[in-house]
Structures are given as structure tokens and as C-alpha cells.
Amino acid sequence: MKPLDWLYIGPSHLSLNDLYHECRFVIEHAKYWQDKALGGVEILKATFVKQHFPRHVHEGYCVAVIEKGAQHFLRDGAEHTAPVGSIVLVNSDQVHTGRTATEEGWSYRAIYPTPAELAPVIADIFGPGVEPWFPEPVVRDPQLARGLQVLHCLLEQGDEPLHCETLYYQMMGQLMQRHARMRPRQLLEKGGSHWAVAKVKEYLQAHYADAVSLKDLTDCTGLSPSYLTRLFTRMTDMPPHAYLNQVRVSRAQQLLRMGLSLTDVAAATGFSDQSHLSRHFQRIMGVSPGRFAKVC
């Protein structure tokens, strides 16, 4: 995949070495695909410098190995930094952010398996019907990190399906055994347990294509704007407008998989135009909707 376009603005008297030193920090690229050998599991290989992921969630777990630089992110209401060689772990539907922790940015290889896609591994270790939880956002496990890197490279190269599948289940099994726990009860109760939060989520999921206002949300809950905003943010770790954008991007993914054009997807998901869709999609997904559509 070609790197994203970059622009140098600076002194004109720099040597080629100096110019390279100045420019190399703004070259970004991302490669996204859904792996057929693993039943459509989402895979990402990327180098980011200026990319700043806002608060968002993924349907699947995020399992990422940092190959260069360092990543800084929010998870569990706290800030964390993942250096080279570490494994970043984010649970499914868990709010988190992402940005560089160094001047050079960060490079990583990530896999996003959903609980359903990991069901065979989870059942073997925890029993059926369980959704495991990764308590540590950043772990140091050199052997596992290396195994995940090898797996990712084989998937990128399109290696023998049997080889990829075997290694995938081995690595996911080791990951669960070493670093996953049963989901804490207090976290099971967090999120939509308050009736007003559930009501707002339901409203936003049904009206994502509309120009939703805060008054719409207060009308359906009977709560004051300030209290409702505080309550929703405290219980979901993101304000209502961020949750709405997440819903819109998730719906856009579904429509792109169905083959709709970017213009039609933007109109159907409440974005003002294709540019508006692209901006929010890139911020949350790390790849453009055009690239995502080509993969699908």
C-alpha cells in the first residue's frame, strides 16, 4: 500500500540527510484487511505519527504488538504507554484512545478478533458462554509477542491456510491462558445499567442518520442537559456526540461491506458529505473508507 501523501515545510538550506531526518517523521501508512483463512478476522499493520484516535470502541478485542516507537493511549480511565516489544490489549467494546508517545510515531501489527470468533479458544479455557477480560492494558511477554509477529507476517503474506489457522489458535490460546481473566462483576454492571443511558443509546442507534440535538435526548429521558451529559459520559467513558459518531462509523462499515458508494454511505449515516465521513472514519478506524471498501 502506498504511504499517505506528506508535505515538508521548513528551512530550504538543509542537506539531503537533514531533509530526510525532518521528513521521515510525517510519513504514515496503514494496511487493513479481513483474513479469509481466519473467517474474516480484521487485521491492521500501520505506522502512525500524527494520527490521534479519539475515544472509540471495537467490536473485537485489540491485540497489538509495538514494532517501533511507542504508543500512548487511554484505557480504564488511565493513561498508558506501550514501548517497543510490548503487547497492547484492549477488551471488546472498551473505550480507548491512541496516539504517539515519541517524536517518531509508532509502528504496530494488530489483530481484532471478536468474542464470537474466539469462541472455540475461550470455551477450551474458560468454558462456553464466557467473555474473558484482559486486566492489563500493556504486557511484556517477549515469546508471545514474537509469536504474534510471526503470525501477523504469515497472514500478510497469505501463507498456507492450515499453517496460519494452527498458529493463530496457538497464539490466541497462549494469550488467553497467560493474560486473560474472568470479566469482573462491576464491569459487567457498568455501561447501560442506568435506564437513561440505555434510553439514549437506543435513541442514537435508531436516529444516527438524523441531526440529533441534546434537546432530543433530554426529551426522551426527562433529565436536564448537564446531568444527562455527565451521567452518560461517566457510565460509557464517552460523551453522547462521540458515541453517535461511533454508531455512524459502525453503520458505515456495514454499508461499505454491502458495496454502497461513499456518497451514498455518507448520506445514509448522517454525515454531511463524503469528506465528513472520511474524516471521522479515518480517525476511528485508522484507514480511509475508500481503502476499507476495496478490502471488503
Side-chain angles (χ1 to χ4, degrees):
M1 180 180 179
K2 292 173 62 179
L4 301 178
D5 291 337
W6 54 270
L7 173 68
Y8 171 70
I9 301 177
S12 60
H13 62 274
L14 293 176
S15 67
L16 286 178
N17 279 338
D18 290 336
L19 186 60
Y20 170 75
H21 182 75
E22 292 291 321
C23 290
R24 69 191 177 94
F25 297 136
V26 295
I27 298 177
E28 300 190 342
H29 61 84
K31 179 179 180 181
Y32 165 89
W33 72 96
Q34 291 177 288
D35 198 88
K36 294 181 180 179
L38 303 182
V41 172
E42 296 184 344
I43 313 287
L44 178 69
K45 173 188 176 184
T47 294
F48 292 127
V49 180
K50 294 186 176 181
Q51 176 77 22
H52 190 153
F53 292 101
R55 290 174 182 251
H56 67 286
V57 299
H58 297 292
E59 180 185 357
Y61 295 97
C62 172
V63 181
V65 178
I66 306 297
E67 294 191 310
K68 293 181 182 178
Q71 181 187 16
H72 192 79
F73 64 101
L74 174 76
R75 204 205 93 169
D76 294 330
E79 301 285 344
H80 308 279
T81 298
V84 172
S86 63
I87 303 173
V88 175
L89 298 173
V90 179
N91 297 289
S92 61
D93 291 325
Q94 184 174 37
V95 176
H96 61 288
T97 62
R99 61 181 174 84
T100 184
T102 68
E103 190 178 31
E104 295 88 349
W106 83 101
S107 298
Y108 67 119
R109 292 178 178 270
I111 303 176
Y112 300 88
T114 65
E117 290 165 342
L118 282 179
V121 178
I122 295 172
D124 286 343
I125 299 172
F126 294 98
V130 175
E131 185 175 325
W133 180 264
F134 293 110
E136 297 299 326
V138 182
V139 298
R140 283 284 197 174
D141 189 329
Q143 181 188 31
L144 180 59
R146 180 55 185 161
L148 290 170
Q149 283 181 299
V150 170
L151 167 64
H152 205 287
C153 289
L154 293 176
L155 293 171
E156 183 181 14
Q157 295 164 9
D159 201 64
E160 177 69 32
L162 180 59
H163 187 190
C164 292
E165 288 180 276
T166 302
L167 185 58
Y168 171 73
Y169 284 111
Q170 287 178 344
M171 292 299 100
M172 292 299 104
Q174 289 182 25
L175 176 68
M176 290 290 172
Q177 288 177 325
R178 297 180 187 181
H179 304 291
R181 302 291 183 271
M182 296 290 285
R183 191 177 178 94
R185 181 177 298 276
Q186 65 269 27
L187 294 174
L188 286 170
E189 296 170 351
K190 186 180 178 180
S193 59
H194 193 287
W195 68 268
V197 172
K199 192 77 173 178
V200 169
K201 284 184 174 182
E202 180 182 346
Y203 185 91
L204 294 177
Q205 289 165 5
H207 297 85
Y208 61 84
D210 301 333
V212 180
S213 68
L214 187 56
K215 184 177 183 302
D216 294 327
L217 304 184
T218 58
D219 285 348
C220 75
T221 60
L223 302 178
S224 70
S226 59
Y227 178 73
L228 178 60
T229 301
R230 289 199 310 272
L231 176 67
F232 190 91
T233 303
R234 175 169 59 84
M235 299 196 71
T236 66
D237 286 332
M238 63 172 69
H241 72 274
Y243 183 85
L244 175 60
N245 284 332
Q246 177 75 48
V247 172
R248 286 173 169 170
V249 169
S250 296
R251 180 56 179 159
Q253 289 178 261
Q254 297 172 7
L255 297 178
L256 289 170
R257 290 191 182 105
M258 294 168 60
L260 273 70
S261 69
L262 295 184
T263 301
D264 289 342
V265 170
T269 52
F271 292 106
S272 57
D273 53 29
Q274 186 176 324
S275 176
H276 192 203
L277 163 66
S278 297
R279 186 165 66 253
H280 283 283
F281 198 99
Q282 177 84 37
R283 289 181 68 209
I284 291 177
M285 295 297 296
V287 294
S288 69
R291 172 61 181 167
F292 182 88
K294 288 179 181 179
V295 170
C296 295

